[in-house]
Amino acid sequence: MLDLVKPPVLALQDFFYLTGRALRNLFRSPHYTDDIFLQMDIIGVGSLPIVVLTGFFSGAVMALQMARALSTYGATGQVGQIVAITLVRELGPVLSALLVAGRNGSGIASELGSMKVTEQIDAMRALGTDPIQKLVTPRLIATSIMLPFLTVISDFVGLIGGYVIATTMLNITGSQYWNTAYKALVWSDVAQGLLKPFLFAMVIAMVGCFYGLRTSGGTQGVGRATTQAVVVASVWIFVITLFVTRIFVWVST
Amino acid sequence: MAENLIESVLRFENVTVRFDEVLAIDDVSFEIKKGETRIVFGAAGSGKSVMLKVALGLQRAASGHAYVFGQDITSLPEAALFAIRAKIGVLFQEGGLFDSLTVEENVAYPLIYRKQAVKETLSREEISKRVLEALRFVELEHTLTKFPSELSGGMRRRVGIARAAVAQPALMLYDSPTAGLDPITANTIIHLIIKARDTTNTTTVIVTHRYQDGHLIANFRYNPESGNIEHAGRDASFHERTKFMVFHEGHLVFLGTEQELERQTDPYISKFKAVRT
């Protein structure tokens, strides 16, 4: 029984140890600014097209679906409100995070994993650089900065998607749509909509780095690490969003 | 007494390394002094590569002590290890080159990043001069802007040697430098190792499973005047500086000179003898 529990507990301990060291490095020199900007480009700018695309369609589909439900109460005019709240609070952060987890979490895990199996991580340590400082911390910083931005963009594009549907198919005027959408949002929605991507970003970067650096067993191991990183990060995204939502609901009542 | 005056470069005292429940190295003790060459034989998984990782501080010993340049590194924090590692050059099994960097950046890496450890800042010109020198040494100065993936296995190994030697380390470690290479390329690599050892009198540790490599290194030396590798003949001072070690399943089963190795009758150790019976 104990043997069954031991590996996951040890893995969790290693994970928090790695996270602790990555966070501690934020306040320690040397800082690899070049690497941070390179990662910001890969993670942020690179993910922009797909985040914009899914953001637009999720907003559009939300408007369509909600209009059907709202029409039973004759409240189709409120569609802007519903789209704004669901997007900013939940869909925007979660969808962007899932996309970035799939795109960059896997990328981080496979990159660090191949470096690990080809002894590049060892070489890095042997040549006098701390791989956590040089590889993990820049990825953590870059993801934590870029994911909130991506989420904001995704939210906004999603609202535009809803607007396109509302004006072309639901006979709602643009001003009515934007008015209800704008009025529906309060500060706590924005706060929760920005806190979530920040937490998701830390999970995506750290889980990717963790599985990447733990890779063993050659090319096959790299594949395994990549899959694990995406699956674990995605699950954690859902768990975290539930808890954060619960906390915000609890605070606001 | 005179022997004790020579500086110890690498010393293991009852070092044991464990991976989960498996013993990778079991109670290994030896000492390598300045200017010596040590050839380490062993089958795959015998613990010879782990031994190198302990020497670099990449792998912690479960018990015992490892001394590098006289300093006990067993319990040093990672940050303190950087200063020691700056004095060690290492060639990893597959070269260990960073495939996101060009050959030039790879070779410059130790020069750029060692300033954190030894507080020495080199100018850009100085770095590129030394990088070119190191690449010329391995005869690859035309590959500066290439990426490791564009090079052959032997060339990658040569770039690895250039990168290991560029910071002029006091100790060079080679982890299976000829693994997976054809015999001709393997010979080129061994010649480079001999040349690197003899031009700067660097203490050298070579881990290999090919007996040919070990016996070449033990019997040949670089002649700076002719620029060739030649047989060392019966020069006693040269031969007594070269010792062999054989690892078997984590144990150090043999430590001695080439002559002593040739006299061994144990079937495992005999696999590494130059004279086949």
Side-chain angles (χ1 to χ4, degrees), chain A residues 3 22 29 36 38 56 60 65 102 114-115 119 123 180 185 215 227:
Chain A
D3 288 343
S29 59
I36 296 175
L38 182 70
F56 181 85
Q65 292 282 12
S114 356
M115 288 184 80
E119 292 185 303
T180 49
L185 294 174
T215 307
T227 317

Side-chain angles (χ1 to χ4, degrees), chain B residues 36-98:
Chain B
E36 283 190 345
T37 303
R38 188 63 56 95
I39 291 141
V40 185
F41 285 132
S46 58
K48 54 194 197 314
S49 294
V50 178
M51 186 274 285
L52 284 190
K53 289 196 172 163
V54 173
L56 278 163
L58 296 176
Q59 184 70 52
R60 301 259 177 205
S63 67
H65 294 273
Y67 298 86
V68 181
F69 304 115
Q71 199 175 351
D72 187 356
I73 62 159
T74 328
S75 51
L76 275 187
E78 186 87 9
L81 283 169
F82 287 146
I84 291 172
R85 289 185 191 141
K87 289 190 271 180
I88 307 177
V90 54
L91 174 70
F92 284 93
Q93 203 156 354
E94 301 288 333
L97 299 177
F98 304 124

Side-chain angles (χ1 to χ4, degrees), chain B residues 200-222:
Chain B
T200 50
N201 262 326
T202 319
T203 316
T204 305
V205 180
I206 300 118
V207 161
T208 179
H209 62 272
R210 275 169 41 110
Y211 70 92
Q212 301 97 321
D213 297 349
H215 295 282
L216 268 176
I217 292 165
N219 290 299
F220 284 81
R221 63 177 163 196
Y222 176 68

